[in-house]
């Protein structure tokens, strides 16, 4: 209950920062449009397979979700710089209420971002099917991974540092190890092993399997993602609790 | 007189610096107790420990009979804090701020709305209740910050430098608000404004180097320091550690 009240406050904070909202939803769409246009101008059979709209659209939606790390980390880090957080720390809110309260408002943004991205992809040839709705649902645990990473970094780092870590480093790392822009198998070796250990390529594989209607291929990859989401959220709660006590 | 706060050798150490040293303090129920001291005297650390923001290194304190170490959740539910700087959610309106705080302390939607209605009337927020907190002047933001602490009807209220940085008029306005609270709840007030403490507080404790140097009414402290001027009394006590 308290977590929901806190979530409601955070939702208002996000919705009233319209620039962030526009950037979060618009940036992946701009990327999708640009890459689709580039792909269209390449003769059939010459362009990379990964840039075909059936693979590109789920990849870009997952890439768009990586920006949630930046939003969630900024939200929590910004709160930590104000006296308002002292008021919250002396209230009956518990660490789990804080983390849940920061996570829940992001979920409508996930749905909005995913739906808008897939709608834009339809303009570039993605055929509508119920599988797309499934892909939107698959995006939820993927989004939780990125949100939890943001909350973790936002709890540890200050407002300036999270911009660099979540805005640049994490976005790039998740892109390199994701199979969105290139097949990690082409690099092979340690890089491929690392990509298989991290959740990002599994997230993209699950989203692609959902769009393709390859249902049996979704869960093996999605379990990795769900596992990471649970572990990262629990870690964020634990780290937040330590930070609260150390205040 | 019933005790609202009692500390038992409360001690806080940050690495190689002792912020509060074996503090033994008693505040009675319904009392407005002022905590004075120069910067670094240990006032804010004391408030932080009593409001469960930071754990004591050793010792304990009871707030309305509950230990800040072992019953912090209970303590949190019966007290509230108005922190040193204005602590409002900038993008929420005045009413939203009030209802938000009421609800995280357990009030349902209807009760939160009713409590907000009452506080809005009490603090004359009618005209600005829909304005975002960020658009208010410093004085109004500070009033809102105190109102947010009061909406939970705390038994113990900590006011940490409530008038810091406000102009004379806004400060006097807040004094009226604080005076109106006297007797309704136990209030611990920290301030650098000596006339504020002298005018508002029932009893005053003066801290220096993490210790409580002296305690009493403003008149008693002046007598103890051998002067008629409260500022002079404070300088002598805090500066020389008069017991």
């Amino acid at each position: 209950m308290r977590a929901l009240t806190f979530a409601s406050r955070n939702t208002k904070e996000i919705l009233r920062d319209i620039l962030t909202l526009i950037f979060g939803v618009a940036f992946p769409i701009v990327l999708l449009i640009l890459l689709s246009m580039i792909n269209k101008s390449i003769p059939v059979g010459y362009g990379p397979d990964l840039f075909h709209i059936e693979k590109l659209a789920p990849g870009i939606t997952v890439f768009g979700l990586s920006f949630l790390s930046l939003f969630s980390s900024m939200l929590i880090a910004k709160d930590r710089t104000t006296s308002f957080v002292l008021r919250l720390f002396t209230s009956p809110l518990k660490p789990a209420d804080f983390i849940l309260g920061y996570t829940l408002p992001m979920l409508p943004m996930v749905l909005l971002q995913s739906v808008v991205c897939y709608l834009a992809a339809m303009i570039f040839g993605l055929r509508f099917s119920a599988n797309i709705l499934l892909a939107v649902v698959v995006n939820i645990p993927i989004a939780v991974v990125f949100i939890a990473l943001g909350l973790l970094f936002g709890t540890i780092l200050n407002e300036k540092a999270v911009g660099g870590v979540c805005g640049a480093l994490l976005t790039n790392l998740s892109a390199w190890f994701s199979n969105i822009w290139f097949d990690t198998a082409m690099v092979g070796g340690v890089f491929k092993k690392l990509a298989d250990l991290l959740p990002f390529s599994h997230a993209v594989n699950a989203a692609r399997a959902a769009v393709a209607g390859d249902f049996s291929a979704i869960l093996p990859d999605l379990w990795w993602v769900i596992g990471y989401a649970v572990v990262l959220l629990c870690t964020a709660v634990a780290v937040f609790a330590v930070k609260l006590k150390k205040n | 007189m019933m005790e609202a706060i009692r500390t038992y050798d409360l001690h806080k150490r940050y690495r190689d610096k002792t912020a509060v040293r074996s503090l033994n303090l008693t505040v009675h129920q319904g009392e407005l107790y002022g905590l004075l001291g120069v910067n670094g005297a240990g006032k804010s650390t004391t408030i932080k420990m009593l409001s469960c923001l930071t754990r004591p290194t050793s010792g304990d304190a009871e707030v309305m009979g509950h230990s800040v170490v072992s019953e912090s959740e209970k303590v949190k539910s019966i007290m509230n804090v108005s922190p040193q700087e204005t602590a409002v959610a900038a993008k929420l309106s005045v009413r939203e701020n009030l209802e938000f705080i009421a609800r995280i302390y357990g009030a349902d939607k209807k009760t939160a709305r009713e409590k907000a209605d009452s506080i809005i009337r009490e603090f004359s927020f009618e005209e600005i209740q829909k304005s975002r907190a960020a658009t208010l002047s410093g004085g109004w933001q500070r009033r809102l910050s105190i109102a947010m602490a009061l909406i939970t009807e705390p038994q113990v209220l900590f006011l940490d430098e409530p008038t810091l940085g406000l102009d004379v008029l806004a400060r006097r306005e807040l004094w009226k608000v604080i005076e109106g609270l006297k007797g309704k709840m136990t209030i611990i007030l920290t301030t650098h404004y000596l006339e504020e403490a002298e005018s508002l507080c029932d009893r005053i404790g003066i801290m220096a180097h993490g210790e409580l140097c002296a305690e009493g009414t403003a008149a008693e402290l002046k007598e103890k320091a051998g002067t008629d001027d409260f500022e002079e009394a404070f300088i002598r006590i805090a500066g020389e550690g008069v017991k």
Side-chain angles (χ1 to χ4, degrees), chain A residues 122-203:
Chain A
M122 282 178 210
I123 298 168
F124 291 94
L126 184 70
R127 287 179 58 190
F128 176 77
S129 74
N131 297 340
I132 290 175
L133 298 178
L134 179 65
V136 171
V137 175
V138 164
N139 274 357
I140 293 173
I142 299 171
V144 173
V145 168
F146 287 113
I147 294 166
L149 274 170
L151 295 178
L152 198 55
F153 287 121
T155 304
I156 302 165
L157 305 171
N158 62 32
E159 205 181 340
K160 261 187 185 172
V162 290
V165 171
C166 293
L169 193 65
L170 187 67
T171 319
N172 274 299
L173 277 179
S174 65
W176 295 342
F177 291 108
S178 67
N179 281 337
I180 300 173
W181 313 110
F182 57 88
D183 191 344
T184 51
M186 276 169 34
V187 184
V190 178
F191 191 87
K192 166 75 174 136
K193 278 181 190 157
L194 210 53
D196 289 343
L197 281 174
L198 292 169
F200 313 118
S201 64
H202 296 288

Side-chain angles (χ1 to χ4, degrees), chain A residues 12-206:
Chain A
K12 285 172 188 158
E13 290 276 343
I14 294 168
L15 290 177
R16 288 170 189 180
D17 192 353
I18 201 73
L19 270 179
T20 307
L21 198 64
I22 290 171
F23 182 75
V25 177
F27 185 66
I29 294 169
V30 171
L31 265 179
L32 184 77
I33 293 169
L34 280 174
L35 287 166
S36 299
M37 285 167 71
I38 291 168
N39 198 43
K40 276 205 164 181
S41 64
I42 297 171
V44 180
Y46 286 91
D49 179 46
L50 295 175
F51 284 10
H52 288 165
I53 197 70
E54 295 79 15
K55 289 197 170 177
L56 186 66
I60 296 278
T61 54
V62 171
F63 180 67
L65 297 177
S66 70
F67 288 93
L68 291 173
S69 293
L70 180 63
F71 300 145
S72 59
S73 62
M74 290 296 270
L75 194 63
I76 199 164
K78 216 176 195 177
D79 267 353
R80 281 181 42 232
T81 61
T82 68
S83 283
F84 185 64
V85 86
L86 294 181
R87 188 184 282 291
L88 298 179
F89 281 178
T90 55
S91 78
L93 282 173
K94 294 180 180 138
D97 294 326
F98 277 98
I99 296 301
L100 209 58
Y102 282 118
T103 305
L104 293 176
M106 297 282 169
L107 297 181
M109 199 164 158
V110 172
L111 294 177
L112 179 72
Q113 199 181 56
S114 302
V115 167
V116 171
C117 230
Y118 280 119
L119 282 174
M122 282 178 210
I123 298 168
F124 291 94
L126 184 70
R127 287 179 58 190
F128 176 77
S129 74
N131 297 340
I132 290 175
L133 298 178
L134 179 65
V136 171
V137 175
V138 164
N139 274 357
I140 293 173
I142 299 171
V144 173
V145 168
F146 287 113
I147 294 166
L149 274 170
L151 295 178
L152 198 55
F153 287 121
T155 304
I156 302 165
L157 305 171
N158 62 32
E159 205 181 340
K160 261 187 185 172
V162 290
V165 171
C166 293
L169 193 65
L170 187 67
T171 319
N172 274 299
L173 277 179
S174 65
W176 295 342
F177 291 108
S178 67
N179 281 337
I180 300 173
W181 313 110
F182 57 88
D183 191 344
T184 51
M186 276 169 34
V187 184
V190 178
F191 191 87
K192 166 75 174 136
K193 278 181 190 157
L194 210 53
D196 289 343
L197 281 174
L198 292 169
F200 313 118
S201 64
H202 296 288
V204 173
N205 293 345

Side-chain angles (χ1 to χ4, degrees), chain B residues 10-56:
Chain B
L10 199 64
H11 200 88
K12 184 68 186 181
R13 195 175 169 82
Y14 293 104
R15 291 189 184 166
D16 56 346
K17 186 180 179 288
T18 300
V20 174
R21 195 185 302 272
S22 299
L23 181 69
N24 288 296
L25 180 80
T26 303
V27 179
H28 305 297
Q29 277 190 35
E31 197 174 27
L32 201 167
Y33 188 92
L35 210 47
L36 301 185
V38 293
N39 288 337
K43 310 182 298 289
S44 290
T45 307
T46 302
I47 298 278
K48 277 184 173 178
M49 286 191 282
L50 294 175
S51 58
C52 307
L53 257 179
T54 189
R55 281 174 79 91

Side-chain angles (χ1 to χ4, degrees), chain A residues 194-246:
Chain A
L194 210 53
D196 289 343
L197 281 174
L198 292 169
F200 313 118
S201 64
H202 296 288
V204 173
N205 293 345
R208 280 177 179 158
V211 169
D214 187 358
F215 305 122
S216 62
I218 298 174
L219 273 181
D221 279 305
L222 199 59
W223 279 124
W224 273 89
V225 176
I226 292 170
Y228 264 99
V230 171
V231 169
L232 285 170
L233 265 187
C234 292
T235 311
V237 172
V239 171
F240 197 90
V242 170
K243 199 85 184 172
L244 211 148
K245 274 185 188 160
K246 270 193 173 174

